[in-house]
Amino acid sequence: MLGLAKLALVGLTSLHSVHAATADDWRGRSLYQIITDRFAPPSDTAPARTSPLPSTCDPLAQTWCGGTWLSIIDKLDYLQGMGIDSIWISPVSRNIDVYTPYNYAYHGYWVNDPTTLNPRFGTESDLLALSSAVHERGMYLMVDIVVNNIPSLSVSASLSSSSLAADNSYWTDPSDFHPQCWIDYSNATSVEYCWLGDDKLPLMDVNTENPNVVQTLQSWIANFTKAYTIDGLRIDAAKHIPGDFWPGFCGAAGVFCTGEVYGSDIGFASQFQTQQWMDSILGYPLYYSLVNAFGAPMANMSAFVDIGKQVLSSFPHPEYLANFLENHDLPRWRNTTVDPQLAYNAIVAQHIFDGIPLIYYGQEQDFGDGAADPHNREALWPSDYANTTTYQRIGRLNKIRKAVIANNTQYAGHNFLDSRATFIASSNYDVAFRKGPILAVLTNRGSPSQNATFGVGQTGFTSQSDIVE
Ligand SMILES: *[C@@H]1O[C@H](CO)[C@@H](O)[C@H](O)[C@H]1NC(C)=O
Ligand SMILES: *[C@@H]1O[C@H](CO)[C@@H](O)[C@H](O)[C@H]1NC(C)=O
Ligand SMILES: *[C@@H]1O[C@H](CO)[C@@H](O)[C@H](O)[C@H]1NC(C)=O
Ligand SMILES: *[C@@H]1O[C@H](CO)[C@@H](O)[C@H](O)[C@H]1NC(C)=O
Ligand SMILES: *[C@@H]1O[C@H](CO)[C@@H](O)[C@H](O)[C@H]1NC(C)=O
Ligand SMILES: *[C@@H]1O[C@H](CO)[C@@H](O)[C@H](O)[C@H]1NC(C)=O
Ligand SMILES: *[C@@H]1O[C@H](CO)[C@@H](O)[C@H](O)[C@H]1NC(C)=O
């Protein structure tokens, strides 16, 4: 175990006396997910860290396309122009840097040394520069954290500390991992203790029953969040570690944590809040309901109403969930749903329902040529960061959210942030819900436009009153 020795030798490089962001600070924010390698190209102020770079970025080639922490800074204006005030960047820690059966670790999820930065994306001073640039704009910085699984080049290599060391792995002691077994998703114990990955690229499952492992991870994250003034963590594969690991880890980090709990099982997912394992999770249950409701013309609107109500009643704090329509593991929304009207309606639901709206880079550019990983990890720059209709509508939704939050605008004594969404009417194809002063009336009838009648009953608006669309 190298960790404790390393930690004891090196002091904190810098301590910032800023107030760490809490879940309540995050709930009024608007979040944007970035794969660092794919968001912005190298520039005069952001030198390439990989060379040579491919002349065009083919996601199927699964190699580095050149984005860095410094190049993200170039495009913060673009994000603010859409009302985005917080970014989630892909993992920053060092990865295996070799060719694998799944090509290269351009995405950053094959972390073999959490304590060292990934030179493919920049240096310590580059990450500090990004953190400062984000904070100067009043934005928040969230970093993706991978602790559950550590890549190995083969199952046999994973049993030999010498071959792990040869790959510069931080973890070399067999007691750092659970014994090898592949996950059986029908067995909850196996989900937590067995390994992700496969024979071609095993991902060893970290042993969080080993107190040295826990201590190392906690010391590292405490230092890391302070050193770079990180405001939040997105926790990869959160359901693959026993829940009682997380309060100590997120407590050491001292910042907001939102975990990836892949799947539609609300009973399981809501334990992250009911058991107080972490502040928040990514809104997978709501995502599936929005796909079922808005993913095709005249699809199943009751999926949104039913699941939406279950989310509200099962999670003590639905306002902390991060609600998304796309991410790096899922098909682009426009790949499965080409009708823009359906996308716009789903985006409104995503921004007005309880939670932190989360846009995946490229969603605002209507990227659709991306069925799933690796197709959905295109470079953003060929879009020229255009001022698309979707970009403008997201901007408008963020303006509305910000205005009612800043004004503490009320309806019947309820403001936006402190109130829960309430479904007030629905038909097979339409839905109306209120959250504080905002009333959202949505349809999945799709294009072309048609005349239809949908009664929303008591809106609280009196005849002739001015309402803002
Ligand atoms: C804390 O983080 C900084 C910045 O990454 C690093 O230079 C330093 O070595 C770390 N200290 C410890 C004790 O891990
Ligand atoms: C579930 O998985 C665990 C870990 O692999 C294993 O020990 C246990 O036998 C499995 N239980 C069943 C019922 O298969
Ligand atoms: C519509 O969604 C509801 C709620 O999730 C579900 O019970 C119902 O079976 C779905 N109907 C269809 C036709 O898929
Ligand atoms: C969906 O993505 C696949 C490849 O990922 C592409 O071939 C197909 O054309 C896309 N569909 C749409 C509607 O863009
Ligand atoms: C985008 O276009 C709209 C409509 O023309 C305009 O109001 C807005 O200022 C533009 N935004 C940017 C960032 O160029
Ligand atoms: C916010 O307050 C300002 C100033 O009182 C007012 O002009 C504006 O209409 C309000 N906006 C909302 C959305 O409440
Ligand atoms: C909807 O009804 C209005 C008023 O009757 C009419 O002007 C309009 O053409 C209709 N639109 C469609 C798409 O039928």
Side-chain angles (χ1 to χ4, degrees):
M1 174 58 53
L2 295 168
L4 293 175
K6 270 191 197 166
L7 290 168
L9 286 172
V10 193
L12 304 186
T13 49
S14 55
L15 278 172
H16 301 253
S17 58
V18 294
H19 146 85
T22 65
D24 277 337
D25 295 328
W26 273 92
R27 65 185 177 153
R29 294 262 158 177
S30 209
L31 182 58
Y32 185 90
Q33 180 188 353
I34 288 172
I35 294 185
T36 298
D37 185 61
R38 300 296 162 87
F39 174 67
S43 69
D44 292 347
T45 53
R49 300 288 178 194
T50 293
S51 75
L53 286 171
S55 52
T56 55
C57 180
D58 173 8
L60 300 190
Q62 295 171 294
T63 189
W64 293 277
C65 290
T68 63
W69 299 316
L70 287 181
S71 73
I72 293 171
I73 299 174
D74 293 341
K75 298 298 170 198
L76 293 177
D77 281 345
Y78 166 76
L79 295 182
Q80 285 190 296
M82 189 172 36
I84 298 296
D85 59 12
S86 47
I87 57 172
W88 146 18
I89 61 172
S90 51
V92 300
S93 295
R94 204 179 63 196
N95 277 217
I96 51 169
D97 200 329
V98 294
Y99 185 72
T100 79
Y102 298 102
N103 297 4
Y104 295 102
Y106 69 92
H107 42 69
Y109 286 95
W110 296 337
V111 173
N112 69 348
D113 181 357
T115 67
T116 306
L117 293 182
N118 190 337
R120 294 277 177 185
F121 305 130
T123 62
E124 290 193 7
S125 65
D126 294 356
L127 186 56
L128 287 168
L130 173 61
S131 178
S132 302
V134 163
H135 292 124
E136 273 161 23
R137 292 160 181 263
M139 299 172 79
Y140 281 170
L141 179 60
M142 174 181 280
V143 173
D144 206 323
I145 297 294
V146 184
V147 295
N148 170 67
N149 41 266
I150 295 100
S152 174
L153 299 181
S154 69
V155 172
S156 57
S158 67
L159 302 176
S160 145
S161 53
S162 60
S163 36
L164 281 173
D167 182 41
N168 287 317
S169 187
Y170 183 86
W171 310 97
T172 52
D173 192 309
S175 71
D176 295 342
F177 312 106
H178 290 137
Q180 203 283 327
C181 49
W182 299 121
I183 290 178
D184 164 8
Y185 279 91
S186 67
N187 173 345
T189 311
S190 164
V191 169
E192 292 178 353
Y193 292 89
C194 292
W195 294 15
L196 290 165
D198 58 21
D199 277 321
K200 292 194 279 183
L201 187 64
L203 299 173
M204 305 181 291
D205 198 74
V206 76
N207 178 8
T208 53
E209 286 71 50
N210 178 337
N212 290 333
V213 169
V214 172
Q215 176 60 41
T216 299
L217 289 170
Q218 289 185 1
S219 304
W220 160 66
I221 199 69
N223 178 49
F224 173 75
T225 52
K226 282 191 195 71
Y228 295 101
T229 322
I230 304 303
D231 305 295
L233 306 181
R234 180 270 183 186
I235 308 277
D236 190 56
K239 73 175 185 185
H240 294 286
I241 288 186
D244 58 13
F245 168 76
W246 295 117
F249 184 81
C250 290
V255 298
F256 178 68
C257 283
T258 185
E260 178 201 25
V261 184
Y262 207 116
S264 57
D265 183 343
I266 296 177
F268 175 75
S270 60
Q271 292 179 91
F272 279 74
Q273 282 190 343
T274 58
Q275 306 296 313
Q276 301 187 321
W277 291 336
M278 58 177 77
D279 300 310
S280 162
I281 63 167
L282 298 170
Y284 267 98
L286 193 75
Y287 163 76
Y288 291 111
S289 81
L290 293 174
V291 170
N292 288 334
F294 296 99
M298 303 195 172
N300 187 2
M301 186 58 83
S302 57
F304 174 43
V305 179
D306 288 0
I307 304 299
K309 285 179 182 168
Q310 285 179 46
V311 166
L312 294 170
S313 62
S314 308
F315 287 88
H317 289 289
E319 73 274 25
Y320 300 155
L321 305 183
N323 293 331
F324 58 89
L325 297 175
E326 297 182 4
N327 67 33
H328 58 298
D329 292 325
L330 296 168
R332 293 276 185 189
W333 181 274
R334 297 295 183 98
N335 190 260
T336 39
T337 309
V338 287
D339 181 352
Q341 294 306 329
L342 292 172
Y344 300 148
N345 278 272
I347 288 172
V348 174
Q350 180 197 6
H351 283 73
I352 305 303
F353 200 76
D354 294 70
I356 302 163
L358 164 60
I359 298 291
Y360 179 51
Y361 85 97
Q363 184 181 341
E364 75 283 8
Q365 293 296 335
D366 305 331
F367 279 3
D369 186 19
D373 174 12
H375 300 263
N376 54 4
R377 298 160 177 203
E378 312 92 313
L380 186 55
W381 46 96
S383 73
D384 287 328
Y385 305 90
N387 186 358
T388 63
T389 302
T390 308
Y391 176 93
Q392 291 167 32
R393 293 195 172 180
I394 292 170
R396 201 169 166 79
L397 283 161
N398 282 325
K399 269 197 183 133
I400 294 168
R401 272 177 62 100
K402 290 250 161 64
V404 298
I405 292 168
N407 280 15
N408 194 27
T409 312
Q410 316 243 339
Y411 164 72
H414 297 289
N415 69 10
F416 183 74
L417 283 182
D418 296 320
S419 63
R420 291 275 184 278
T422 318
F423 289 95
I424 59 172
S426 61
S427 73
N428 285 344
Y429 309 126
D430 315 287
V431 66
F433 68 94
R434 175 182 282 292
K435 183 164 158 65
I438 297 184
L439 173 68
V441 183
L442 305 174
T443 182
N444 66 11
R445 290 167 197 269
S447 304
S449 60
Q450 53 181 285
N451 282 329
T453 305
F454 170 53
V456 299
Q458 282 297 329
T459 62
F461 297 118
T462 52
S463 171
Q464 307 298 315
S465 57
D466 287 333
I467 53 176
V468 183
E469 191 194 15

